Amino acid sequence: MDDFMSQEPPVDDDLFKEPIKKRRRSDGDQRFRAFPSMEQSALKEYEKLESRTRRVLSNTYQKLIQSVFLDDSIPSGIKYLINRLLALIEKPSLDPVYIGLFGSTGAGKSSLINAIIQQAMFLPVSGESICTSCIVQVSSGCCDQYEAKIHLLSDQEWKEELKNLTKLLHRTEELDREEDTWDRDDAVEEAIWKLQMFYGNGAESRNYEELLKAKPKGKIPTSRIITLKADEAGELSVKLDPYIRAQRRDCNAESAGTQIWPLIKYVEVTLPKSELIPEGVVLVDIPGTGDFNSKRDEMWKKTIDKCSVIWVISDIERVSGGKTHEDLLNESIKACQRAFCRDIALVVTKTDKLHLPEYLRERKVGNPAIQTQREAILERNETLKLQRSRILKEKLKRKLPADSKVLETSDLVYTVSAQEYWQQALLTEEETEIPKLREYIRKQLLDKKRRMVTKYVTEAFGLLLLTDNFNSMDNLPNEYLHVSGLRRFVEEKVQLLEKAIDQCFAHIEQPLQEGVRNARTSYRRILSRCLVRSKGNQGFHQTLKAVCLKNGIFASRTLTRIDLNEAITQPIYDQIDPVFGGIFRVGKATGSALMPHIDAFKHSLQEKMTEIGIRNGWKYDSCKKSFLIQEISAILGGLEGHVLRKKRRIYESLSISVQNDLKSCYEEAAQITGKKACERMKDVIRRGVDQQVAEGMFERAQERMQHQFQQLKNGITEKVKGSISTMLTLASSQGVGLYKELADVKSEYKEMEKLHRSLREVAENAVLRKGMQEFLLKMSPSKVGPPRAQL
């Protein structure tokens, strides 16, 4: 839509290229194997609608190309139309639904994915220790084999990490005896291990320039991608294991996967024609803390941000309290604020764990007697759901608008057991809630497919209206558009839209000011908390150095993520979060919400088109009026994506502003070595922050966020003005050089009109199927527990 919404009609140099061919329809049935029969029927109807629409668009495109192929000069209006058609033909059938499994070490993310995809040991699992060392994406496709693609850091990205690793390991002879006896912290251990695996023993003692000349132990493909294939899941699992399993010092460092492990950026795994995970869904195993490498850490954040659903994974023994669990929840809620996430749930794993005597002792008196381990587990799980749902909902209410969709969901907490899913010694398959998660996944994809096809068919219908009208412009009445009058009307409405956006963004000003005041009074306390460790400076010196090397941020596989910039701006975020979420909410119209103002602008233009149509004697469903209404919807519909893409930049502008202001302070602290280096680094950071705060650091952050809001407003109004102007010019019969006689596309238009009408029928069928499915579920007998229930 960005090209379409530019001031001038876009011109594609490769105007006459062939549209990309879509997959054969026979593949469609395979893609629906993960769905029950009723859902399959709905998907097949939507697939058929989309396929027929693409065929109509392709036929129209070919006719237009043939009609102008020999012309020396193609009118700009025709170029515009051809490019619009081609863009819609090649538009992806469905953007993937990313579901992020976000959890800390040993939480059971990999075990959960294995259960969902029905492959017991596919991803590495190992109790409490770290197993998955990088981001792993699992999806299904139309391939016949199991396939994995291991993406590696580029040469430049590795050089950046190598430089930071060697800086982190650098120690001078000035260290006093006390500091020499410090335990190596996890940051140093990880740095040493990476260098040893990649270059061999002794690499940790060599400097950056020496290591640049050294030959890596493993073979690095020039494409920076390693592809693995296998006919069976177990076979691929064995091949993949050394690449994604977190490596230990006692592992076999001679395997190809181990030697290349420090270079791995992320891994994509594709399953063949899964009957459990529908094509179009991507399950993402996301490590809980990010990464020391800047590119991997950036990808960690972007991966979280592109997830429309986040499951916070926590095992039953860690879910109640704990800083790591709270940090994961907070990071997930931030994804709702800054990115595309619309749904958050807490997935409690390993819920088969329960010590019955202890549970019975702590259980409240007066409840029905518990006879078996199974009954105790089910009761405990239900109690846990109620408690954690209430706590999570209260937390979400503090951060998100009160009417956010996620607050209305009935399932905020799932209690699952991957082990019992396989064994079923205590719980039935349904009671493990693995099938419930699969059902949720299917529903997400089905809803997205319905929205996508509805939008696609509607936009295609508008294009066919435009194409058909190109051949009938000469027949339009003289009063058809009154383009000059409409332009004035649009200008007036744009001015009103600007005022409405200003009023919308004004809601953030007071919370911003209050947040800045709170930050000024609390930053010292927050900073002290970040810089103090329970063991004093022991083992913290190199970690703090790593924080400074990365401009206030440090992430590793084993330590809690440290972000000084976010920490000292948190009082501002605490104030603005509910209002910020309200501005970017989608759906319910409120005074602070942005999108309803854009929708109101759209409706006012469409009403104007209807008024013109009535005045000129058009019928209510006139093609002329419908063309303009559809085109306005297509133009303004693309603004939602533009707004969402800008939202992240606006939200992060506070912490980024603070990070930029403190950059010189971090750089100075990172250079400190010698006696009492840790305390001296802390002093430099404290003094640097004090100085920047005195010079207005938080106020600058406030101004930069407000500037980002202003840029968003300007971008919206410029896109609206330019694209509406283009549309009016194209629609005007007075345009010079815009049109010529084109091939007759009336048959394509009539077929597209039928497809557009059939959208309602498909939607009605879906409602009937849903009602029938709910009725059958109510009438089906309940399943009993396993016969092997234990006392």
Side-chain angles (χ1 to χ4, degrees):
M1 289 300 298
D2 285 345
D3 287 338
F4 171 46
M5 296 174 72
S6 57
Q7 182 70 29
E8 297 297 330
V11 178
D12 193 334
D13 293 334
D14 195 9
L15 193 64
F16 303 109
K17 72 174 184 179
E18 288 288 328
I20 296 173
K21 293 183 179 179
K22 300 297 170 184
R23 74 172 78 222
R24 292 174 299 177
R25 185 180 297 177
S26 59
D27 293 337
D29 292 341
Q30 298 291 335
R31 297 167 62 202
F32 304 145
R33 292 169 63 184
F35 291 88
S37 58
M38 290 185 182
E39 292 177 357
Q40 281 190 28
S41 298
L43 276 168
K44 286 176 182 177
E45 286 184 345
Y46 284 123
E47 190 87 355
K48 185 177 179 181
L49 263 179
E50 181 190 349
S51 175
R52 289 175 62 187
T53 299
R54 289 187 186 276
R55 187 177 69 236
V56 171
L57 291 172
S58 294
N59 291 342
T60 306
Y61 176 86
Q62 295 295 341
K63 282 188 175 183
L64 293 188
I65 289 296
Q66 291 170 10
S67 67
V68 300
F69 187 72
L70 297 177
D71 291 6
D72 293 331
S73 177
I74 303 174
S76 58
I78 305 303
K79 290 180 182 178
Y80 167 87
L81 177 59
I82 290 174
N83 283 323
R84 283 282 316 276
L85 282 167
L86 185 61
L88 200 54
I89 291 167
E90 296 189 344
K91 187 175 183 179
S93 180
L94 186 68
D95 291 330
V97 176
Y98 288 93
I99 299 179
L101 284 76
F102 193 37
S104 59
T105 302
K109 302 185 297 295
S110 298
S111 297
L112 181 57
I113 290 178
N114 289 341
I116 291 173
I117 67 175
Q118 194 76 15
Q119 299 291 343
M121 298 297 291
F122 188 70
L123 298 180
V125 295
S126 180
E128 300 297 313
S129 62
I130 303 169
C131 267
T132 309
S133 62
C134 60
I135 294 171
V136 180
Q137 301 180 3
V138 180
S139 60
S140 67
C142 58
C143 54
D144 295 323
Q145 288 183 301
Y146 292 84
E147 180 177 299
K149 289 186 177 181
I150 297 107
H151 297 259
L152 308 180
L153 293 173
S154 69
D155 186 56
Q156 190 59 41
E157 289 166 352
W158 171 246
K159 286 179 180 177
E160 181 208 342
E161 176 160 8
L162 184 61
K163 184 178 291 186
N164 285 319
L165 290 174
T166 52
K167 283 182 180 179
L168 183 60
L169 294 176
H170 179 66
R171 305 285 293 268
T172 71
E173 295 180 356
E174 298 176 7
L175 288 173
D176 63 12
R177 190 171 186 276
E178 178 188 2
E179 289 173 319
D180 273 338
T181 61
W182 281 356
D183 293 335
R184 285 174 171 173
D185 65 12
D186 290 333
V188 174
E189 291 287 354
E190 185 172 336
I192 292 172
W193 186 222
K194 280 184 177 180
L195 294 180
Q196 288 180 344
M197 276 197 295
F198 197 63
Y199 293 110
N201 291 333
E204 71 277 12
S205 62
R206 302 165 75 178
N207 62 35
Y208 173 66
E209 287 73 19
E210 290 173 332
L211 289 174
L212 279 181
K213 299 173 184 177
K215 184 179 179 181
K217 292 171 62 179
K219 186 178 180 181
I220 304 170
T222 54
S223 65
R224 315 298 279 201
I225 297 176
I226 299 170
T227 302
L228 307 174
K229 292 185 179 181
D231 293 327
E232 301 295 334
E235 183 185 353
L236 182 67
S237 179
V238 171
K239 292 180 179 180
L240 184 60
D241 190 275
Y243 292 97
I244 63 176
R245 182 184 289 274
Q247 304 300 332
R248 299 190 183 97
R249 285 189 171 275
D250 57 355
C251 73
N252 174 21
E254 299 305 315
S255 70
T258 302
Q259 293 169 354
I260 214 79
W261 175 76
L263 274 188
I264 295 174
K265 195 173 184 178
Y266 69 101
V267 174
E268 290 181 293
V269 179
T270 306
L271 313 175
K273 302 183 180 71
S274 172
E275 295 187 3
L276 298 169
I277 300 300
E279 185 178 348
V281 170
V282 182
L283 299 175
V284 192
D285 186 338
I286 307 174
T289 58
D291 196 273
F292 182 62
N293 176 269
S294 297
K295 290 298 179 184
R296 273 195 291 250
D297 196 59
E298 180 184 347
M299 185 179 177
W300 173 81
K301 209 160 199 175
K302 285 185 176 179
T303 301
I304 295 172
D305 286 352
K306 72 181 179 182
C307 292
S308 55
V309 176
I310 291 179
W311 291 342
V312 180
I313 313 297
S314 183
D315 75 50
I316 188 73
E317 294 176 346
R318 302 185 193 181
V319 70
S320 298
K323 185 177 185 304
T324 302
H325 174 71
E326 289 302 310
D327 288 344
L328 293 171
L329 273 178
N330 289 333
E331 191 66 41
S332 303
I333 294 171
K334 285 178 184 176
C336 280
Q337 295 283 27
R338 69 180 180 235
F340 296 93
C341 181
R342 300 287 176 83
D343 201 359
I344 294 176
L346 173 61
V347 179
V348 184
T349 58
K350 307 177 186 179
T351 56
D352 56 287
K353 288 184 178 180
L354 184 139
H355 187 244
L356 186 56
E358 182 179 332
Y359 177 76
L360 292 176
R361 186 178 68 247
E362 295 178 354
R363 187 170 172 266
K364 291 183 179 179
V365 180
N367 292 328
I370 291 292
Q371 300 294 327
T372 65
Q373 181 94 358
R374 174 176 177 272
E375 290 175 349
I377 290 172
L378 292 175
E379 182 186 72
R380 188 273 317 274
N381 289 354
E382 191 60 34
T383 302
L384 182 70
K385 275 188 178 184
L386 293 173
Q387 291 174 345
R388 300 311 300 182
S389 291
R390 185 183 69 253
I391 294 170
L392 180 54
K393 187 166 288 190
E394 289 173 357
K395 191 176 187 69
L396 291 170
K397 282 180 178 178
R398 291 196 299 269
K399 296 288 185 179
L400 302 177
D403 59 351
S404 295
K405 190 175 179 181
V406 67
L407 295 173
E408 300 172 2
T409 184
S410 57
D411 292 314
L412 274 175
V413 178
Y414 296 87
T415 51
V416 305
S417 171
Q419 181 171 315
E420 275 300 299
Y421 175 76
W422 300 111
Q423 297 179 356
Q424 295 185 32
L426 297 169
L427 304 175
T428 66
E429 182 176 302
E430 287 75 16
E431 287 166 348
T432 68
E433 299 205 347
I434 300 296
K436 194 172 184 180
L437 292 178
R438 289 182 186 144
E439 181 185 355
Y440 175 90
I441 291 169
R442 293 195 304 268
K443 184 177 182 298
Q444 287 289 315
L445 187 70
L446 184 59
D447 288 348
K448 189 168 185 178
K449 184 70 174 180
R450 173 182 52 78
R451 293 193 302 270
M452 175 266 162
V453 172
T454 300
K455 184 177 180 181
Y456 189 79
V457 173
T458 302
E459 189 173 349
F461 180 50
L463 270 181
L464 265 293
L465 279 169
L466 174 59
T467 307
D468 186 56
N469 274 280
F470 265 38
N471 279 332
S472 59
M473 286 294 183
D474 293 339
N475 299 323
L476 296 179
N478 292 332
E479 312 91 280
Y480 172 44
L481 273 182
H482 300 288
V483 172
S484 60
L486 266 179
R487 289 191 194 281
R488 286 194 298 271
F489 176 80
V490 169
E491 288 171 2
E492 292 171 1
K493 287 296 180 182
V494 168
Q495 289 176 0
L496 292 175
L497 177 62
E498 286 180 324
K499 291 180 181 178
I501 295 175
D502 282 336
Q503 292 172 359
C504 168
F505 291 168
H507 287 83
I508 202 79
E509 291 179 4
Q510 185 177 347
L512 257 177
Q513 292 170 359
E514 292 177 0
V516 166
R517 285 196 294 270
N518 292 347
R520 289 183 66 89
T521 58
S522 61
Y523 79 90
R524 284 197 180 101
R525 184 180 69 253
I526 295 170
L527 193 60
S528 294
R529 190 167 63 240
C530 293
L531 297 178
V532 172
R533 289 294 178 267
S534 59
K535 295 181 180 180
N537 290 335
Q538 185 177 6
F540 187 53
H541 167 251
Q542 298 291 2
T543 298
L544 186 57
K545 185 173 184 179
V547 171
C548 295
L549 284 171
K550 307 303 291 186
N551 292 323
I553 301 172
F554 175 68
S556 77
R557 298 181 296 114
T558 54
L559 295 175
T560 302
R561 184 180 180 87
I562 300 172
D563 190 333
L564 299 183
N565 311 300
E566 276 196 2
I568 59 180
T569 53
Q570 191 57 48
I572 308 179
Y573 284 114
D574 289 341
Q575 287 294 322
I576 70 168
D577 273 351
V579 179
F580 190 92
I583 290 173
F584 291 98
R585 72 157 56 89
V586 177
K588 185 178 288 188
T590 64
S592 64
L594 174 61
M595 289 310 299
H597 291 302
I598 295 174
D599 289 338
F601 174 75
K602 177 181 73 175
H603 293 318
S604 68
L605 292 185
Q606 290 174 334
E607 288 173 1
K608 188 68 174 178
M609 298 304 106
T610 302
E611 178 189 323
I612 292 173
I614 293 173
R615 191 167 61 240
N616 287 281
W618 298 346
K619 295 180 181 179
Y620 183 75
D621 60 347
S622 164
C623 291
K624 281 75 176 177
K625 181 201 70 176
S626 296
F627 149 62
L628 289 170
I629 290 176
Q630 295 286 359
E631 203 70 356
I632 289 168
S633 291
I635 290 169
L636 298 180
L639 280 175
E640 182 176 346
H642 170 76
V643 169
L644 288 176
R645 285 190 294 273
K646 297 296 183 184
K647 182 172 76 164
R648 178 184 177 183
R649 182 180 298 177
I650 296 172
Y651 189 76
E652 293 182 336
S653 62
L654 293 173
S655 58
I656 290 175
S657 174
V658 166
Q659 184 182 46
N660 290 336
D661 286 352
L662 295 177
K663 193 173 190 302
S664 60
C665 159
Y666 293 136
E667 290 173 348
E668 180 183 350
Q671 299 301 316
I672 294 175
T673 58
K675 294 182 179 181
K676 305 296 181 183
C678 193
E679 281 304 321
R680 289 158 56 207
M681 290 168 69
K682 291 179 181 179
D683 288 341
V684 167
I685 294 172
R686 290 190 187 103
R687 287 198 308 270
V689 175
D690 281 342
Q691 180 181 345
Q692 289 297 326
V693 171
E695 294 175 358
M697 179 176 72
F698 292 125
E699 288 76 10
R700 285 194 296 274
Q702 175 185 348
E703 291 170 2
R704 286 164 182 163
M705 174 172 270
Q706 290 171 325
H707 178 67
Q708 290 286 341
F709 273 113
Q710 185 64 35
Q711 283 190 321
L712 175 59
K713 185 194 81 169
N714 294 341
I716 290 171
T717 54
E718 286 171 9
K719 285 179 178 293
V720 167
K721 288 177 184 177
S723 49
I724 296 292
S725 175
T726 299
M727 182 202 72
L728 293 178
T729 301
L730 289 169
S732 171
S733 60
Q734 306 301 317
V736 179
L738 284 175
Y739 310 113
K740 61 161 284 175
E741 186 175 349
L742 295 173
D744 185 4
V745 293
K746 287 193 179 298
S747 60
E748 284 78 12
Y749 166 71
K750 289 180 179 178
E751 185 175 356
M752 196 66 245
E753 193 175 28
K754 291 178 184 177
L755 293 172
H756 189 250
R757 282 201 304 266
S758 67
L759 274 176
R760 176 176 294 180
E761 181 182 342
V762 172
E764 290 172 351
N765 290 342
V767 172
L768 289 173
R769 289 193 191 97
K770 185 177 180 182
M772 187 183 300
Q773 188 176 33
E774 291 174 351
F775 173 76
L776 292 175
L777 284 173
K778 289 178 182 178
M779 298 299 293
S780 63
S782 300
K783 293 190 177 182
V784 297
R788 292 176 289 170
Q790 300 173 358
L791 291 175

